[in-house]
Amino acid sequence: MNDLREIAPEGAVVLNDLDACCIGHTDNALVYSYTKLVNHFIEAWRGDGLCETEDQLHTEAVEWVQYNIINCKVGGAGQFIIMYDF
């Protein structure tokens, strides 16, 4: 995949180092997969010794995505969209 910044709609918010979690775009926003975001952080943190179990690792990743990505408020028209699995 190209660098997401090269193909993102003008004004769209591009989440750093999370290109693989982007699943599409609208006219002015990138669409990120919630599941891919959580899985990205699970894989990134697996083996770092901070979580003793897979359940703890999953919970930490979910909380991180919720607090640091979903709750991120960006002004202006450029935003990003989080798509949840149905």
Side-chain angles (χ1 to χ4, degrees), residues 4-5 8-9 11-15 28-30 32 72 74-75 78-81:
L4 197 51
R5 292 182 192 288
V13 173
V14 179
L15 301 175
N28 65 348
L30 294 173
Y32 290 89
C72 177
V74 180
Q79 294 288 327
F80 57 89
I81 297 167

Side-chain angles (χ1 to χ4, degrees), residues 34 64-73 80 82 84:
Y34 175 80
W64 202 96
V65 167
Q66 180 66 40
Y67 184 78
N68 294 290
I69 296 177
I70 295 173
N71 287 339
C72 177
K73 303 294 184 212
F80 57 89
I82 302 293
Y84 296 88

Side-chain angles (χ1 to χ4, degrees), residues 3 8 15 21-22 25 27 29-30 39 43-44 48 52 54 59 63 71 79 82:
D3 179 22
L15 301 175
C21 302
C22 183
H25 63 85
D27 290 340
L30 294 173
N39 288 338
E43 291 306 315
D48 67 3
E52 293 181 15
E54 284 293 311
T59 298
E63 289 176 358
N71 287 339
Q79 294 288 327
I82 302 293

